[in-house]
Amino acid sequence: MNTLFMHCRPGFEGEVCAEISEHAAQLGVAGYAKGKPQSACAEFVCAEAEGAERLMAQLRFAQLIFPRQWARGTYIELPETDRISVLLAHLAELGRGFGSLWLEVLDSNDGKELSTFCRKFEVPLRKALEKAGRLVENPSLPRLLLTFISGRRVFVGVAEANNSALWPMGIPRLKFPREAPSRSTLKLEEAWHQFIPREQWEQRLGDDMTGVDLGASPGGWTYQLVRRGMLVTAIDNGPMAESLMDTGLVQHLMADGFTWQPKQPVDWMVCDIVEKPARTTSLIETWLGEGLCREAVVNLKLPMKQRYAEVRRLLDRMEATFKARKVRVSIACKQLYHDREEVTCHLRRLDIKPR
C-alpha cells in the first residue's frame, strides 16, 4: 500500500502533485507524483512500502489545499462476475477491520456513469464485509475507501475517519435554497462546514453577531449571514435582492469593498470579489491585522499558471505579516467543491475574545 490516491477538481491535478510533492520532500518521504490532466485525481507513489502511511500520519488532511479526498492503498483488477470474492480475498491479506465503508468515483463523466453501479453494489458488498467480520461500526477503526475507476478496476484505499474528507469524494450534498439570490451562496455554506466544527456553530455563528459582506451584490453570501440571524452590512455598488432587504437585517452601502471600513469591529467579514489575489490578500491583512473582524471567509481568485505556488506564496505572506504585527491569526485554505478557479480562506483572530 505504497500509493497515496487523491481526488481533486478536474484540471487541478498538477496543483495536487505540486502540493503533495512539497510535503513529501519536507517529511523525507521519497517518491513521485503523477496525475493525468482532467482526470480528477492524482497519485503519489512512494519508494518505500510504508511511505503513504507515514505521509498520512504526519499530515492533516484539513491542511491540504487542493486534494478533496485521500487514501493509501493499491489498485486491483476485478472480474465481471463475483467481484465481492476478489475484494474479500484482497482485504483478508491486509488482516484488518474497518469502521466504515465509502464507495467513491471520480468527479468526471466516466465517474458519474459509475455512480449508479456503486449504489447497487454497495448493499451486497456491505453485507459480505459485515459477515466476514471486516466491517464493524467503530469510528476508531480506519475507513475503507473504494474508488472505482471502472467496473473492473478499483483503488482499494484506507484512511482514518478523523483525517480525511468530511464527505465521500470530498463533495458535500448541499441543497440550493430557492430563496437565495445566487448559487454562490453554496460556497459560504460549504465553508461553514469545512472550517467550523458543527458543535461550534451556535457559539461562532450566533444570531447576536454582526457581519460585513464585501462585494455583496446580489446577496448570495449575505443570505448565509442573514440565515444565521446576523445583522449584516452589505458593501457593493450593485443592487441587493429585495428579499434580503425585506428581512430588516441588512444595511446596503454603495461603496468600494477595498476601501470601506466599519466604525466598530464586527464578528464576521466575508468577501467574494473578483480581483487579483495579491490585492485581496492585502485586504485580508488589513481586516484581521487591525482587528476589524474576528473571523473571515475570503475567496482568492487563482492565476492561470503556477496556481499552487501563488497560493503558497500568499499564505506565507499573510503568516509573516501577522507575525510582524504580533497578532495571532489561524489561517486555513481549501479549494472547496463549489469553488472554481479559486480557493477559500478562513481566518480567525485567536487573541480577540468572543463577546
Side-chain angles (χ1 to χ4, degrees):
M1 302 183 74
N2 70 329
T3 297
L4 183 64
F5 184 94
M6 294 158 287
H7 293 251
C8 66
R9 182 175 186 82
F12 284 81
E13 299 80 11
E15 282 64 40
V16 173
C17 289
E19 183 176 7
I20 198 64
S21 295
E22 180 177 276
H23 284 296
Q26 292 172 348
L27 296 172
V29 177
Y32 63 93
K34 61 178 182 178
K36 182 179 178 182
Q38 300 298 324
S39 65
C41 66
E43 304 169 23
F44 188 83
V45 182
C46 302
E48 55 188 277
E50 303 302 324
E53 184 173 3
R54 189 150 66 88
L55 268 179
M56 296 182 78
Q58 297 186 60
L59 291 174
R60 295 302 302 172
F61 178 75
Q63 296 175 337
L64 299 178
I65 300 169
F66 289 100
R68 285 183 183 169
Q69 175 65 292
W70 68 351
R72 61 185 181 272
T74 187
Y75 290 96
I76 67 170
E77 304 299 323
L78 299 175
E80 290 187 8
T81 59
D82 202 14
R83 297 180 177 92
I84 291 178
S85 294
V86 175
L87 281 168
L88 288 176
H90 177 76
L91 295 176
E93 295 178 4
L94 299 181
R96 69 174 71 188
F98 303 95
S100 55
L101 168 68
W102 283 2
L103 271 63
E104 303 185 322
V105 296
L106 301 178
D107 186 16
S108 63
N109 290 332
D110 290 342
K112 291 173 183 176
E113 292 179 2
L114 280 169
S115 60
T116 300
F117 160 77
C118 287
R119 284 195 298 269
K120 294 180 179 179
F121 186 58
E122 181 175 358
V123 174
L125 175 61
R126 184 178 296 274
K127 289 180 179 179
L129 290 171
E130 291 173 348
K131 184 178 180 180
R134 295 295 173 189
L135 183 62
V136 293
E137 293 298 328
N138 187 339
S140 66
L141 292 176
R143 174 172 289 142
L144 177 59
L145 298 156
L146 303 180
T147 301
F148 282 85
I149 310 302
S150 69
R152 300 189 63 177
R153 192 165 194 248
V154 60
F155 184 87
V156 181
V158 178
E160 280 60 47
N162 64 354
N163 193 27
S164 55
L166 299 173
W167 311 276
M169 299 121 66
I171 299 178
R173 303 302 178 185
L174 303 180
K175 184 178 180 181
F176 173 64
R178 288 185 297 176
E179 63 273 21
S182 67
R183 292 197 65 82
S184 70
T185 193
L186 295 176
K187 295 182 188 179
L188 189 53
E189 184 177 357
E190 184 181 354
W192 298 150
H193 288 279
Q194 178 67 44
F195 299 118
I196 303 178
R198 190 64 180 85
E199 63 273 14
Q200 296 181 19
W201 280 25
E202 293 304 318
Q203 174 191 358
R204 294 168 61 184
L205 294 168
D207 58 10
D208 60 340
M209 294 183 173
T210 55
V212 168
D213 185 358
L214 302 177
S217 178
W221 283 32
T222 296
Y223 171 83
Q224 289 296 330
L225 300 175
V226 168
R227 196 179 191 182
R228 301 298 304 171
M230 295 187 199
L231 289 172
V232 183
T233 303
I235 308 298
D236 202 304
N237 287 315
M240 296 294 291
E242 291 186 11
S243 59
L244 287 174
M245 302 307 299
D246 290 343
T247 65
L249 296 176
V250 181
Q251 179 187 23
H252 178 203
L253 300 180
M254 300 184 72
D256 183 351
F258 280 96
T259 58
W260 183 89
Q261 292 184 1
K263 294 181 180 179
Q264 299 292 332
V266 298
D267 296 293
W268 276 94
M269 182 272 279
V270 298
C271 176
D272 188 26
I273 298 177
V274 178
E275 183 54 86
K276 292 181 179 180
R279 190 182 184 202
T280 304
T281 297
S282 296
L283 183 73
I284 295 171
E285 291 168 342
T286 297
W287 275 76
L288 274 296
E290 297 181 7
L292 299 179
C293 65
R294 194 175 71 244
E295 295 195 57
V297 171
V298 181
N299 270 3
L300 295 178
K301 310 304 176 181
L302 299 176
M304 293 297 292
K305 298 179 180 180
Q306 299 293 316
R307 293 177 290 197
Y308 172 67
E310 178 67 1
V311 172
R312 187 69 266 162
R313 184 183 70 82
L314 294 175
L315 293 176
D316 291 343
R317 170 186 145 180
M318 281 189 273
E319 289 182 2
T321 298
F322 295 137
K323 184 177 181 180
R325 292 189 178 192
K326 297 182 179 180
V327 296
R328 295 175 57 232
V329 180
S330 68
I331 305 173
C333 182
K334 198 78 173 177
Q335 185 177 44
L336 304 179
Y337 171 70
H338 290 96
D339 287 339
R340 292 184 182 275
E341 298 294 323
E342 61 206 355
V343 293
T344 299
C345 295
H346 169 254
L347 303 99
R348 184 187 186 192
R349 277 287 294 260
L350 301 176
D351 50 3
I352 297 180
K353 295 182 180 179
R355 292 188 289 108

